[in-house]
Amino acid sequence: MTHSRSRGAGFRMSRRQLMAGIASISILASAGIPALAQDKPPTSEINTTGLAVTDDTVTVGILHSITGTMAISETGSVQAEKLAIEQINAMGGVLGRKIEYIQEDGASDWPTFAEKAKKLLVQDKVASVFGCWTSASRKAVLPVFEQYNGMLYYPTFYEGLEESPNVIYTGQEATQQIIAGIDWVAKEKGAKTFYLLGSDYIWPRTSNKIARKHIEKLGLEVVGEEYYPLGHTQFNSVINKIRLKKPDVIYAIVVGGSNVAFYKQLKAAGIDMTKEKPLLLTISVTEDEIRGIGGENIEGAYAAMKYFQSLDNENNKEFVSEFKKMWGDDMVIGDVTQAAYLGPWLWKAAVEKAGSFDIDKVREASPDIELDTAPEGYVKIHPNHHLWSKTRIGHAMPDGQYEVVYETEELMEPDPFPEGYQ
């Protein structure tokens, strides 16, 4: 389904307003003049449930893996969330309060994620949490957020089949990535046979279940399916199986540090992805992972995402510039990093629309929030708490970036429970 940009009910911040705000703050700061505070409603009116909100500050949580096998993927999310928080604070904060954050390390361990989520909500009483990457970590923390009525902004593309009143999903679900990507490779590349490969946990397994159903629905064939534990580094056996089966497409959902070994071993085995025999299509390798893999080891692969660092629009140019200014010129930005950047901005917009930090009021205000400032171009929160977004296909280049070779004309409506795929 497509979406035309209806502006009526949305709460919207334009790029012009954002950049004017940042520019005015910069001018004041360079002149040694403190930034002007927003009008400050009384704390007693905007925080009726005992959250960590004072007359001057509001505290949020950041919960990602900064150690373990998932650190290669999640570090960018932390950086993007901190950049957004810094920019929001430069504009005067949220309801006149500067954002402070408490950062916890999920350590690539799902029980640890649940434990840290509970600490943030119960002990620290944070007003929102920006966090998780894997579906396993999200599933681990979900009962905690629902029990203690917290609000999680979850940035990763995922399998769908979920809708929680306590989560805003800023990444894409299956129809916007898995199904759309397979449609593209079947139509544009004439693919007929697929070898499904993934890490062994809920997201790759469920995603490949959806992928298999769609491949078979199109009258095409799955010729192999394999899973390996997180952190696995020996892929020669499955590479040999792939060589024997000769699929048109290797459909790869390997995550975290395992990607480094997988793509290096593919190349060492003589599989030249630039020849597209077989073609490799991934939904898990962003520019963040390529930084570890090495562009020369994945050149020629395709990825189905909604965002690539190379997107040519003014929002993205500004975002890339500010990200590198904060974190270093050698940094790269992937799909999940960009979706993580959206979290604080969408939360700020919902809080200000609600006129309150109270979770129930923020939840009620969230549908139809829209941002013209998104690096991907434009986003809007659907009533199902997912985002309208475009599907794009990127072609991996030797410099570690993706060249965008396809994008949907219109935003795709999120459908986390597609009929026939559950």
Side-chain angles (χ1 to χ4, degrees), residues 132-277:
C132 299
W133 199 102
T134 66
S135 285
S137 63
R138 189 193 70 256
K139 289 292 189 184
V141 305
L142 187 58
V144 180
F145 278 86
E146 292 182 343
Q147 179 179 353
Y148 297 103
N149 198 28
M151 184 63 81
L152 172 67
Y153 288 77
Y154 175 67
T156 314
F157 37 71
Y158 85 116
E159 69 278 2
L161 309 182
E162 182 180 297
E163 179 181 337
S164 172
N166 295 88
V167 183
I168 300 293
Y169 305 82
T170 65
Q172 51 273 51
E173 44 70 43
T175 67
Q176 297 168 316
Q177 186 186 33
I178 300 166
I179 293 172
I182 291 170
D183 283 344
W184 174 83
V185 78
K187 179 180 178 182
E188 299 299 326
K189 299 293 183 177
K192 291 181 171 56
T193 58
F194 294 74
Y195 201 110
L196 310 182
L197 178 66
S199 296
D200 193 7
Y201 72 99
I202 183 173
W203 176 56
R205 282 191 174 273
T206 308
S207 294
N208 274 338
K209 181 180 177 182
I210 293 168
R212 177 183 280 273
K213 284 187 176 182
H214 193 61
I215 288 164
E216 293 173 351
K217 182 178 179 181
L218 294 176
L220 310 176
E221 183 183 3
V222 175
V223 296
E225 186 169 354
E226 300 273 347
Y227 297 92
Y228 293 91
L230 283 168
H232 186 77
T233 59
Q234 299 299 322
F235 290 96
N236 290 320
S237 174
V238 72
I239 290 170
N240 286 334
K241 291 178 184 177
I242 290 169
R243 292 169 69 105
L244 288 171
K245 291 286 188 180
K246 294 183 169 57
D248 295 331
V249 177
I250 303 171
Y251 191 71
I253 320 180
V254 177
V255 306
S258 295
N259 279 301
V260 178
F262 175 60
Y263 287 96
K264 285 184 176 180
Q265 288 165 25
L266 266 182
K267 184 173 183 180
I271 294 180
D272 183 352
M273 285 175 278
T274 64
K275 294 181 178 178
E276 300 184 7
K277 294 183 182 295

Side-chain angles (χ1 to χ4, degrees), residues 344-395:
W345 289 105
L346 293 169
W347 172 71
K348 167 184 164 66
V351 168
E352 292 179 348
K353 181 181 175 185
S356 175
F357 291 103
D358 292 355
I359 301 297
D360 290 343
K361 293 176 182 176
V362 171
R363 176 189 302 114
E364 186 178 344
S366 289
D368 295 327
I369 291 287
E370 45 187 3
L371 291 179
D372 279 349
T373 55
E376 66 185 86
Y378 164 82
V379 295
K380 182 176 180 178
I381 301 178
H382 193 279
N384 63 28
H385 280 200
H386 295 70
L387 300 186
W388 295 84
S389 64
K390 289 190 174 185
T391 296
R392 297 179 169 96
I393 303 293
H395 193 206

